[in-house]
Amino acid sequence: MCGIVGMIGNRPVARLLVESLKRLEYRGYDSAGVATLVDGALHRRRAAGKLFALETALEAKPLAGDIGIGHTRWATHGPPTVENAHPHVAGKVSVVHNGIIENHQEIRTELVALEIHPESQTDTEIVALLLNKLLDDGATPEEAMRQVMARVTGAFAFVVMMEDCPSTLFAARRASPLAIGYGEGEMFVGSDALALAPLTRRISYLDDGDWAIISADGARVFDHHGAEVERAVTLSAVSGALIGKGNYRHFMEKEMHEHPEAAGYTLFHYNHPSNGGLAMPEMPFDPATLPKLTIVAAGTSSFSGMIAKYWFESLARLPVEVDIASEFRYRDTVLPEGGAAMFISQSGESLDTLMALRHAREQDQHILAIVNVPESTMAREADVVLPTLAGPEIGVASTKAFTGQLVALACLALDWAEKRGTVTPERSAGILKALEHLPVQMAEVLEREHDLVPICHDLSHARDVLYLGRGTSFPIALEGALKLKEISYIHAEGYAAGEMKHGPIALIEDGVPVVIVAPSDQWFEKAISNVTEAMARGGRVVLLSDSDGIARMGNDATWAFEMPDCDPFVAPILYALPVQLISYHTALEKGTDVDQPRNLAKSVTVE
Ligand code: G6P
C-alpha cells in the first residue's frame, strides 16, 4: 500500500525523505516521488518503478529545502506512471495520499465544470485541486483543510504542503494510519513508526477523522468536530537498528529464519516460567460461559483463524465461526449477545479487517485483536489485545507473524479450555511442552532447508501445483498455495484433501505436482488415500511428513521432506515452515522479486 512521509525542520530533507520511504518499501509500491519547498516555491521529482529510479532522478536534479513530503504509490486509480505518481501538485498545493477518496469522481465532475482539469487519473489530485480552489477563493489554509475534510469520503490519510505556508505541513487521517513524530526542532509525519524509526521514537497517532497542523516545533491536532485535541505522545517500540537484511538475501528469508524467535518470544509472553502456567490477558467476559467466538482476518492471517477454529472447538468445546474480513464486514451476520469477535492481523491496519472489527463493535461483541504491531489501529480499538512478538515483518508475504499468531491462539485455546473444564491437566501440560519445544524443532527444519531445493527446482517448471491437507493441515495447504502464487507466480490451489475428488482431481495429469501436508495425526490415513488417487493419475507427490508418516507411505512419493516428530496439536505451526520455504526456493529458481512481489502490498489499507 502507499507509504507517506513528511518532514519539517532545519536541514535539507530530500535525502531523509527517500531513506524513510525505503523503510516503507515493505508495504509494496510501483512508483515514488518527493516534493520540497525552496524559497516558497514547490519543486518535485517523481519516478515510475522502484526507489532506485527516484534516487537517480534526484541525483540528476537534486532538491534543496528544509520542508518536504514523500510517497511510495501502490496504484489504485490509474496505472503506475510518472504522471500518476505523488506528490500531486495543483497551483500552490502539493499532496501525498494513501487510501481511496470514494467521491473523487463527483468532485472531479464539479471541478471540470469550473474549467479546472486534472492532469492525472488519480483520486489524490482531486484533493490538491480542491484545496487550491478553496485557497484561490480566499479561504485560509486551515479553513481549506476543514472544508476538504468535510467534503471527501472514503478511507484515507494525506499530507499537504502549501506554497503560502513555508513553515507548515498539514496532515489528515480517516481510517488509514498516520503517525506524527516529534524531534528536536524538527517534526515528522509518516504512515507508521517504522518510517520514522531512525529519526525519532517519540510518536503520536492521529485518531480517525483527525487532522493536524505541523510546524518545526510541534503539532496542533483537531478532531472530526474541529475541536482542538491532545493526542498522547508515546515512545515507539520500533527501533531503526532492527531493520536490515543482515546476511540474508531477502527479508522473507531472514524472517523465516526468525520463526523460532517469533514462536519462542510469543510463547514466553503468555507462558512465562515465573508465572507457573499460562497468563493470558484479563477478558471482559467469562470464557467459561462464552456462547460463541467469531474470528475474522485476511490473507495469511485468516489461515491462523481457520487453524484456531479446530483448536477452540476440539479443546475448549467452543462454537467458532471463521470468516474473511472483506465478506464479514458486509454480511448480515448473526452474532450472539455477549459473544466475542477476534481480529487477527500482522499489521493491525488491513482496512477490511479494521472495518470488520468496527462492524462487530456495532453489534456489541467483545473485541479481541491479535496483532504484531502493538501501536496499530486495531490494537488501539480492541477491548483486549493479544500481541505476537514476531518483531517487524518487512517481506510482503507474511511468514513469522503467522507462527507468532498461531502460538498466541494455541495459548488462548488452551487457557479457555482450562477455564471451561474441557481439558485434562495432563493434556494441557503435554500441549504446553509441545509448544515449548517448537523453537528447537523449527530450527531443525531450517537447518535442513536445503533438502527442499531440488524439490523446488522441480516445482519451478510447473504450471499448476496442488496443495492438500486434512484437519489443521488444510489451512497449511491453503497457506502453501497462497505463498507459491504470491511470490513465484505459479498457479496453485490449496484444498481439503477430501474435496479433491470434487473438482481439483480434474487438474491432475502426468507430472502435476501435488504437495501433501500430512503429519502422523488422526487424519493421516485418509490423507494418504487421497494421495494415492492423485498418484494413480500421474501426479508427482511431494510428501511433508514425519519419519513414521514417510515410512507408512513407503517409497510411493516422488519427493519426501522429513519433519521432526511433534504433538499433532502443534503440527500446523511447524508445518508452516516447509510450505513457506518451498515457495521461497521456488521463487528463487524463477528469479522473482521475493520481498515485493508484483501487484501485492504488505498492508492492504484500501478495499
Ligand atoms: C496482505 C499481505 C499478506 C497478509 C495480508 C493480511 O495481503 O500481503 O501477507 O497476510 O495482507 O495482512 P494483516 O496485516 O492484516 O495480517
Side-chain angles (χ1 to χ4, degrees):
M1 282 306 97
C2 302
I4 294 179
V5 286
M7 295 178 192
I8 173 165
N10 42 23
R11 52 178 168 161
V13 291
R15 193 185 52 79
L16 294 172
L17 287 169
V18 174
E19 290 306 314
S20 284
L21 290 176
K22 284 184 184 166
R23 283 184 298 278
L24 289 172
E25 275 192 300
Y26 74 94
R27 297 164 73 89
Y29 71 104
D30 32 41
S31 58
V34 292
T36 58
L37 275 179
V38 185
D39 297 329
L42 278 168
H43 296 269
R44 68 177 159 169
R45 305 283 179 267
R46 298 181 293 171
K50 296 296 177 189
L51 279 171
F52 174 72
L54 177 64
E55 284 182 303
T56 310
L58 278 164
E59 266 165 39
K61 280 177 87 182
L63 271 186
D66 297 349
I67 174 170
I69 53 180
H71 191 262
T72 46
R73 172 171 188 252
W74 185 81
T76 55
H77 297 70
T81 56
V82 174
E83 293 69 35
N84 286 331
H86 303 209
H88 282 283
V89 172
K92 300 170 174 175
V93 177
S94 179
V95 177
V96 288
H97 157 235
N98 169 29
I100 288 179
I101 310 291
E102 274 175 353
N103 57 347
H104 76 102
Q105 199 57 51
E106 181 189 313
I107 304 173
R108 176 184 290 262
T109 310
E110 286 173 22
L111 290 170
V112 170
L114 297 169
E115 296 295 322
I116 298 172
H117 295 283
E119 286 172 5
S120 75
Q121 292 147 287
T122 64
D123 49 347
T124 309
E125 194 189 354
I126 301 304
V127 176
L129 288 166
L130 194 57
L131 276 168
N132 193 55
K133 156 111 186 44
L134 291 164
L135 294 177
D136 280 351
D137 290 349
T140 64
E142 287 85 345
E143 278 163 13
M145 277 300 288
R146 264 180 228 280
Q147 288 187 43
V148 164
M149 283 300 278
R151 183 68 218 276
V152 295
T153 61
F156 54 78
F158 53 78
V159 180
V160 179
M161 192 166 65
M162 302 180 192
E163 285 188 345
D164 289 346
C165 307
S167 316
T168 313
L169 289 175
F170 299 87
R173 158 193 186 198
R174 195 176 295 153
S176 299
L178 204 58
I180 295 182
Y182 289 73
E184 296 300 326
E186 51 185 0
M187 290 286 288
F188 314 96
V189 55
S191 295
D192 61 27
L194 202 56
L196 310 181
L199 300 164
T200 182
R201 287 180 57 205
R202 291 171 58 224
I203 299 288
S204 82
Y205 291 91
L206 292 184
D207 270 4
D208 239 6
D210 282 357
W211 68 277
I213 303 174
I214 306 168
S215 60
D217 38 47
R220 292 176 65 201
V221 181
F222 303 87
D223 70 8
H224 64 287
H225 299 299
E228 190 159 351
V229 285
E230 290 285 327
R231 299 290 175 223
V233 179
T234 54
L235 213 52
S236 161
V238 173
S239 143
L242 276 171
I243 300 129
K245 274 188 265 197
N247 292 328
Y248 295 97
R249 286 163 289 185
H250 297 99
F251 279 109
M252 182 179 180
E253 184 186 27
K254 172 176 177 270
E255 287 159 7
M256 288 190 297
H257 282 260
E258 290 168 348
H259 273 301
E261 284 110 80
Y265 286 143
T266 305
L267 183 65
F268 214 58
H269 181 77
Y270 296 112
N271 182 44
H272 197 281
S274 61
N275 292 332
L278 284 171
M280 303 309 288
E282 195 69 32
M283 297 290 155
F285 53 87
D286 181 2
T289 54
L290 186 69
K292 179 180 168 185
L293 174 66
T294 305
I295 303 179
V296 184
T300 289
S301 297
S302 73
F303 305 143
S304 298
M306 287 175 73
I307 292 166
K309 175 180 167 76
Y310 288 86
W311 289 341
F312 281 106
E313 285 178 352
S314 66
L315 210 60
R317 307 301 301 140
L318 175 67
V320 175
E321 188 184 355
V322 187
D323 211 338
I324 45 175
S326 53
E327 287 300 316
F328 176 84
R329 62 179 286 204
Y330 291 117
R331 273 205 356 250
D332 269 338
T333 37
V334 183
L335 300 173
E337 205 183 313
M342 180 156 70
F343 300 84
I344 308 173
S345 175
Q346 187 286 126
S347 60
E349 303 291 352
S350 292
L351 187 73
D352 282 324
T353 312
L354 178 62
M355 291 305 169
L357 181 155
R358 292 177 183 168
H359 177 68
R361 164 83 67 210
E362 278 164 15
Q363 296 180 51
D364 293 331
Q365 300 295 290
H366 300 292
I367 307 292
L368 279 65
I370 297 198
V371 292
N372 194 43
V373 180
E375 297 115 345
S376 59
T377 309
M378 280 180 225
R380 295 200 303 275
E381 294 196 10
D383 300 325
V384 182
V385 181
L386 290 104
T388 52
L389 280 79
E393 195 183 69
I394 308 294
V396 161
S398 187
T399 52
K400 60 176 178 167
F402 179 58
T403 46
Q405 290 166 354
L406 288 172
V407 169
L409 287 159
C411 290
L412 192 67
L414 195 54
D415 182 61
W416 287 8
E418 286 174 1
K419 296 191 162 111
R420 292 167 77 89
T422 51
V423 66
T424 63
E426 294 73 32
R427 181 72 188 120
S428 192
I431 291 174
L432 270 182
K433 213 162 154 233
L435 286 168
E436 279 162 12
H437 198 40
L438 264 180
V440 173
Q441 294 188 311
M442 286 171 156
E444 282 172 34
V445 174
L446 290 164
E447 262 168 39
R448 290 192 302 98
E449 177 181 358
H450 290 288
D451 296 349
L452 290 167
V453 173
I455 305 177
C456 297
H457 178 71
D458 213 35
L459 291 183
S460 68
H461 300 296
R463 197 190 56 188
D464 309 294
V465 179
L466 209 56
Y467 282 77
L468 301 176
R470 275 182 181 255
T472 51
S473 296
F474 164 41
I476 296 300
L478 293 174
E479 164 69 355
L482 176 69
K483 280 282 176 296
L484 195 74
K485 274 185 281 215
E486 279 183 315
I487 64 165
S488 75
Y489 313 147
I490 295 173
H491 170 241
E493 299 262 4
Y495 251 87
E499 274 289 294
M500 185 183 66
K501 42 186 160 324
H502 298 290
I505 198 164
L507 292 175
I508 300 177
E509 54 185 9
D510 250 2
V512 171
V514 180
V515 180
I516 171 92
V517 186
S520 297
D521 57 17
Q522 65 191 101
W523 299 285
F524 181 81
E525 291 299 339
K526 287 196 192 309
I528 291 308
S529 67
N530 298 130
V531 174
T532 49
E533 289 157 11
M535 283 190 310
R537 285 153 185 89
R540 285 167 74 76
V541 171
V542 179
L543 173 66
L544 305 178
S545 189
D546 43 49
S547 57
D548 186 40
I550 291 174
R552 278 153 80 188
M553 179 77 188
N555 292 325
D556 290 343
T558 315
W559 301 99
F561 181 76
E562 189 177 318
M563 294 288 291
D565 294 335
C566 65
D567 188 311
F569 185 90
V570 303
I573 314 181
L574 199 55
Y575 280 65
L577 273 65
V579 298
Q580 293 179 352
L581 289 165
I582 284 174
S583 70
Y584 176 70
H585 286 284
T586 308
L588 284 188
E589 291 277 342
K590 296 204 70 182
T592 53
D593 188 348
V594 172
D595 282 335
Q596 290 162 37
R598 67 183 179 210
N599 304 338
L600 295 180
K602 177 76 186 153
S603 170
V604 179
T605 48
V606 294
E607 263 197 78

